[in-house]
């Protein structure tokens, strides 16, 4: 795997395999993989930041929610993400919480090379593997 | 292991996988079943059979391929008293579907102007990328769409009263409630009404090039050499968000009730639970959005035809959804029962005499619309009484993917795809290059063999074939 992420084949959709030194970094790389499916990442400048705070019942669904938030911002605010930053993930009582931000700009059909709409993030074959020195996320998207 | 029932049907017996409560039945020929064995299709059919409260069998249509949770092409019917509803069994693009419009024109009237027609359709029908939607709704207006479906569109001059009659459920599921649709889904949907989307969504200009059943074709208003328009789109971001939201709610229910599921994407809740009822009301709201969406696209198509070809007269032949769960009555073990039929990438195919189909088609059966891939034929079939008896009144929904997107993309370029389509006599225009390469005709199964299977199995019968001459894509 390169420094970022790997595209995974699926009979009808597309997946991402992302590896990081820790969970935060693995999520950031999976996010980069997802946003790069939608537009050419090199064409995005950083002009805006979106603060993101989410909660879920476990780490798996927390990651899925975070990735879904990228799709939500694209549809709702026309915002495309160049980078994401995960500041903190914590467990409180029965829930997990994630805090961070997305940075990017408003999508423009003239400026950015649009690739494809990603409909949603799925639990299908989802895998989170945490070891001492590395975290791997495997996730598939509905196209 | 897999058992062959006849030339067009295979059985996955309960012994295939532990926990299966029902057999799986797959409609396929030898070659299609071999392809399904290369991915997880059969496993996914078996997984559905492990869910509580489903009846008779877990089905897969000949276009089935690996999905997430349910396979694409999966059909299953839940008992409404003891069964479950699964958001994954409907899919993210709720009520994604197709509608066919018939014109009074022949190929010779349209072919000379096809370039202008395609350019104008492309200009006038937004794909929904980058806020190019033409309809901007307030929250209250969007709620009106969610509660009234196609009636909203007709009231706002996007269609005629006749249109309503030729849509599955008359373009309105009356148990929709916008109050159970999240704020996020509302925000995603409010600028997306009347947008095509990308992926496999398209609008195609076609010619009727073969008639198999004169009587049915006549009843559907179709004749040889006629120009038709096929529109394939769904509920856009609104539906995707509703599915995402309820997958989380269902996932939480499964965890809180300590239920073991074979696949997390199959998260489901009892139909009679609050969560189940809320999902069905939100699903219905999304379905209504999709009906209205296809209606708005139809309106602009008619306008463009009026300007370029000289007449707006495009009649709605039929509009049906292929990602939906529906309350229907079916015979289960010789008794008529009310069930919730999940169709994930499968269409309804009700036979003649059924009270749910338009009166003009009551002697024939409902039209079953099967889009091919870009550059290949599409088909119109009719639903049958046999489908009512053995497939919960269901049939296939398309060609079904044969190659992954990454593989399809790596094997060709957008220019090559355009040239190849041109060779077949198809003019294509797409917003994104990936939209062309990932959806190139070789990425799909042969639609002809998929249609042959449902025809020979008798769950839908061929009426006519449509050849594309122009296509626009997101």
């Amino acid at each position: 795997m390169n420094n970022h992420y790997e595209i995974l084949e699926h009979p009808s959709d597309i997946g991402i395999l992302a590896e990081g030194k820790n969970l935060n970094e693995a999520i950031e790389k999976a996010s980069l993989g997802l946003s790069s499916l939608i537009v050419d990442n090199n064409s995005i400048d950083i002009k805006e930041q979106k603060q993101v705070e989410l909660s879920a019942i476990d780490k798996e669904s927390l990651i899925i929610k975070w990735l879904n938030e990228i799709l939500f911002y694209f549809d709702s605010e026309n915002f495309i993400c160049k980078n994401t930053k995960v500041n903190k993930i914590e467990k409180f009582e029965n829930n997990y919480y994630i805090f961070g931000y997305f940075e990017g700009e408003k999508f423009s059909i003239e400026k950015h090379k649009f690739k494809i709409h990603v409909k949603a993030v799925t639990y299908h074959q989802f895998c989170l593997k945490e070891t001492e020195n590395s975290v791997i996320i495997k996730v598939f998207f509905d196209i | 292991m897999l058992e062959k029932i006849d030339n067009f049907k295979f059985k996955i017996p309960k012994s295939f996988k532990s926990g299966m409560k029902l057999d799986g039945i797959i409609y396929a020929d030898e070659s299609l079943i071999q392809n399904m064995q290369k991915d997880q299709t059969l496993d996914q059919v078996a997984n559905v059979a492990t869910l509580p409260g489903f009846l008779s069998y877990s089905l897969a249509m000949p276009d089935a391929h690996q999905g997430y949770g349910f396979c694409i092409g999966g059909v299953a019917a839940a008992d409404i008293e003891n069964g479950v509803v699964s958001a994954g069994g409907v899919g993210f693009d709720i009520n994604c579907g197709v509608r066919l419009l018939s014109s009074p024109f022949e190929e010779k009237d349209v072919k000379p102007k096809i370039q202008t027609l395609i350019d104008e359709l492309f200009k006038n029908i937004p794909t929904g990328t980058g806020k190019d939607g033409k309809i901007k709704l307030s929250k209250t207006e969007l709620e009106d769409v969610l509660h009234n479906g196609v009636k909203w569109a007709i009231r706002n001059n996007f269609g005629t009263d006749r249109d309503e009659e030729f849509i599955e459920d008359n373009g309105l599921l009356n148990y929709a409630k916008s109050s159970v649709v999240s704020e996020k889904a509302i925000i995603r949907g409010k600028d997306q009404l009347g947008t095509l989307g990308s992926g496999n969504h398209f609008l195609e200009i076609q010619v009727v090039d073969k008639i198999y059943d004169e009587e049915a074709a006549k009843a559907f208003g179709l004749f040889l050499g006629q120009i038709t328009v096929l529109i394939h789109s769904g509920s856009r971001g609104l539906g995707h968000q509703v599915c995402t939201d309820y997958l989380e709610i269902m996932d939480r229910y499964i965890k809180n009730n300590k239920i073991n599921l074979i696949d997390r994407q199959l998260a489901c809740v009892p139909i009679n639970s609050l969560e189940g009822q809320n999902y069905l009301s939100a699903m219905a709201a999304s379905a209504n959005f999709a009906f209205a969406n296809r209606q708005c696209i139809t309106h602009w198509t008619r306008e463009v035809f009026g300007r370029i070809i000289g007449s707006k007269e495009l009649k709605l032949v039929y509009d049906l959804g292929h990602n939906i769960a529906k309350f229907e009555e079916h015979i289960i073990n010789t008794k008529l029962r009310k069930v919730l039929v999940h169709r994930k990438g499968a269409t309804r195919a009700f036979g003649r005499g059924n009270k749910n189909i338009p009166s003009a088609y009551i002697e024939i059966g409902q039209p079953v619309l099967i889009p091919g891939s870009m550059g290949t034929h599409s088909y119109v079939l009719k639903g049958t009484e046999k489908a009512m008896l053995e497939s919960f009144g269901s049939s296939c929904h398309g060609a079904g993917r044969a190659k992954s997107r990454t593989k399809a993309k790596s094997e060709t370029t957008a220019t090559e795809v355009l040239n190849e389509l041109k060779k077949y006599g198809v003019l294509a225009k797409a917003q994104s290059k990936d939209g062309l390469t990932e959806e190139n005709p070789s990425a799909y199964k042969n639609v002809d063999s998929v249609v042959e299977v449902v025809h020979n199995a008798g769950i839908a019968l061929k009426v006519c074939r449509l050849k594309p001459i122009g296509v626009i894509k997101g």
Side-chain angles (χ1 to χ4, degrees):
Chain A
M1 196 183 310
N2 64 23
N3 290 329
H4 302 290
Y5 59 86
E6 200 178 296
I7 300 273
L8 300 173
E9 288 207 24
H10 177 276
S12 55
D13 298 299
I14 281 182
I16 294 285
L17 185 68
E19 185 174 359
K21 290 193 294 290
N22 50 43
L23 182 58
N24 296 18
E25 195 182 283
I27 295 175
E28 287 161 10
K29 287 183 175 172
S31 307
L32 178 66
L34 170 58
S35 62
S36 302
L37 291 176
I38 306 169
V39 287
D40 177 2
N41 196 271
N42 293 323
S43 67
I44 309 173
D45 291 316
I46 295 171
K47 292 181 182 168
E48 266 184 74
Q49 207 178 69
K50 303 280 178 199
Q51 295 299 317
V52 181
E53 289 183 30
L54 298 163
S55 69
I57 51 170
D58 53 25
K59 284 183 192 169
E60 286 81 359
S61 48
L62 193 68
I63 297 166
I64 286 178
K65 250 181 137 167
W66 170 273
L67 295 171
N68 265 317
E69 201 72 357
I70 294 176
L71 304 181
F72 170 72
Y73 274 115
F74 182 55
D75 269 359
S76 61
E77 294 189 18
N78 208 20
F79 174 85
I80 43 170
C81 207
K82 187 174 182 73
N83 296 312
T84 66
K85 174 78 186 152
V86 178
N87 288 329
K88 191 166 66 172
I89 293 172
E90 60 183 15
K91 189 177 181 209
F92 179 69
E93 292 176 344
N94 288 325
N95 281 310
Y96 283 82
Y97 294 81
I98 188 166
F99 302 89
Y101 59 85
F102 300 162
E103 41 188 26
E105 65 176 321
K106 289 267 187 282
F107 174 77
S108 143
I109 197 88
E110 290 81 29
K111 177 176 176 186
H112 305 108
K113 186 185 161 245
F114 173 70
K115 293 181 180 170
I116 203 128
H117 277 287
V118 177
K119 288 179 187 163
V121 186
T122 79
Y123 284 98
H124 174 68
Q125 294 182 334
F126 184 91
C127 172
L128 170 65
K129 206 168 133 197
E130 292 184 273
T131 54
E132 207 176 319
N133 301 316
S134 109
V135 174
I136 291 174
I137 294 170
K138 186 168 85 167
V139 57
F140 286 88
F141 307 107
D142 185 19
I143 304 293
Chain B
M1 282 297 103
L2 194 67
E3 296 168 15
K4 188 168 176 172
I5 300 174
D6 59 34
N7 286 338
F8 306 103
K9 249 188 326 189
F10 292 81
K11 179 163 116 177
I12 305 176
K14 278 180 267 193
S15 55
F16 182 83
K17 186 177 259 191
S18 110
M20 279 176 77
K21 297 176 173 68
L22 308 167
D23 291 334
I25 303 279
I26 297 174
Y27 290 90
D29 61 18
E30 286 288 351
S31 146
L32 289 165
I33 199 88
Q34 272 174 27
N35 269 318
M36 291 181 203
Q37 285 169 304
K38 288 181 193 156
D39 63 26
Q40 293 173 15
T41 310
L42 305 190
D43 256 321
Q44 291 184 332
V45 174
N47 289 347
V48 171
T50 67
L51 296 177
F54 279 94
L55 300 169
S56 299
Y57 19 65
S58 162
L59 295 173
M61 295 296 143
D63 50 341
H65 57 87
Q66 181 183 331
Y68 25 85
F70 276 58
C71 68
I72 312 296
V75 177
D79 176 7
I80 61 161
E81 298 301 327
N82 306 308
V84 292
V85 57
S86 164
V90 169
F92 288 102
D93 199 353
I94 297 169
N95 199 21
C96 179
V98 280
R99 66 160 56 188
L100 180 69
L101 309 171
S102 66
S103 82
F105 308 113
E106 291 182 36
E107 188 174 6
K108 64 176 168 39
D109 307 319
V110 170
K111 200 78 196 240
K113 296 173 185 163
I114 189 76
Q115 180 77 55
T116 320
L117 191 62
I118 289 296
D119 288 346
E120 285 298 306
L121 286 168
F122 191 76
K123 217 188 293 173
N124 283 279
I125 295 166
T127 59
T129 308
K131 291 274 169 216
D132 65 350
K134 299 206 279 198
I135 303 173
K136 314 276 179 199
L137 300 173
S138 67
K139 189 182 173 198
T140 320
E141 286 167 325
L142 180 61
E143 285 171 349
D144 195 4
V145 175
L146 302 185
H147 290 135
N148 293 297
V150 148
K151 277 190 195 305
W152 176 91
I154 292 168
R155 206 195 315 133
N156 286 276
N157 301 318
F158 287 104
T160 65
D161 291 339
R162 186 198 173 275
D163 291 339
E164 200 178 322
E165 208 184 313
F166 291 91
I167 304 173
E168 190 170 331
D169 297 303
N170 301 113
L172 174 64
L173 296 183
N174 61 13
Y175 47 95
K177 271 193 218 155
S178 65
S179 57
V180 291
V181 174
S182 73
E183 194 64 30
K184 270 189 160 165
I186 300 270
I187 294 171
R188 271 179 90 167
K190 69 185 180 48
D191 294 344
Q192 287 194 335
L193 188 67
T195 63
L196 202 52
S198 76
N200 58 1
H201 296 151
F202 63 80
L203 182 151
E204 199 169 81
I205 313 285
Q206 313 163 317
V207 182
V208 178
D209 82 335
K210 210 168 194 177
I211 303 261
Y212 304 95
D213 180 338
E214 283 287 350
E215 187 199 9
K218 202 173 165 205
F220 296 163
L222 299 168
F223 59 86
L224 203 62
Q226 180 185 25
I227 291 288
T228 58
V229 178
L230 194 70
I231 296 165
H232 180 199
S233 187
S235 50
R236 310 287 291 105
L238 181 127
H240 312 162
Q241 188 67 40
V242 164
C243 182
T244 297
D245 293 339
Y246 280 91
L247 272 175
E248 191 190 358
I249 291 166
M250 292 182 180
D251 187 53
R252 205 175 275 266
Y253 182 98
I254 294 291
K255 189 174 180 188
N256 290 342
N257 289 280
K258 300 190 171 59
I259 299 165
N260 276 326
L261 275 187
I262 205 157
D263 176 353
R264 203 167 175 181
Q265 188 71 32
L266 284 174
C268 53
V269 293
I271 294 169
N272 288 327
S273 64
L274 177 67
E275 291 86 347
Q277 291 296 305
N278 285 349
Y279 168 70
L280 286 162
S281 300
M283 179 207 75
S286 312
N288 291 342
F289 183 93
F291 284 133
N293 187 36
R294 293 194 284 274
Q295 186 65 44
C296 296
I297 294 171
T298 301
H299 173 70
W300 295 317
T301 307
R302 285 173 172 157
E303 281 192 344
V304 169
F305 262 76
R307 274 206 312 278
I308 309 300
I309 311 293
S311 166
K312 288 186 183 185
E313 202 193 325
L314 294 176
K315 274 192 185 161
L316 182 48
V317 176
Y318 207 54
D319 176 311
L320 47 74
H322 50 225
N323 279 357
I324 190 89
K326 302 279 285 285
F327 289 106
E328 295 171 3
E329 286 181 337
H330 289 282
I331 295 167
I332 313 278
N333 294 332
T334 71
K335 274 197 190 128
L336 192 66
R337 283 174 71 171
K338 204 168 175 197
V339 291
L340 182 69
V341 181
H342 292 63
R343 295 193 182 94
K344 165 93 170 274
T347 55
R348 205 182 71 172
F350 283 1
R352 67 177 169 199
N354 191 294
K355 62 182 189 310
N356 293 299
I357 61 184
S359 56
Y361 304 154
I362 197 90
E363 297 298 324
I364 304 291
Q366 74 161 84
V368 175
L369 310 172
I370 320 260
S373 55
M374 274 192 298
T376 64
H377 293 108
S378 295
Y379 285 84
V380 180
L381 288 83
K382 62 177 184 184
T384 64
E385 286 144 312
K386 194 172 181 202
M388 301 312 290
L389 294 173
E390 61 171 70
S391 63
F392 307 115
S394 312
S395 183
C396 63
H397 86 309
R401 280 196 86 88
K403 260 183 218 167
S404 73
R405 290 177 182 277
T406 33
K407 186 151 191 255
K409 196 159 70 175
S410 69
E411 287 176 355
T412 185
T413 67
T415 317
E416 277 169 10
V417 176
L418 286 175
N419 286 337
E420 186 127 332
L421 288 170
K422 217 169 180 178
K423 251 195 322 206
Y424 291 129
V426 187
L427 190 68
K429 197 161 174 132
Q431 192 170 60
S432 123
K433 280 185 181 171
D434 289 0
L436 280 172
T437 49
E438 291 179 14
E439 296 290 323
N440 87 70
S442 77
Y444 282 85
K445 292 179 188 177
N446 180 350
V447 67
D448 302 328
S449 56
V450 168
V451 167
E452 281 310 313
V453 170
V454 293
H455 179 84
N456 287 312
I459 53 171
L461 297 172
K462 289 191 287 184
V463 173
C464 66
R465 192 174 76 174
L466 312 164
K467 178 190 176 304
I469 58 169
V471 59
I472 66 165
K473 290 191 63 65

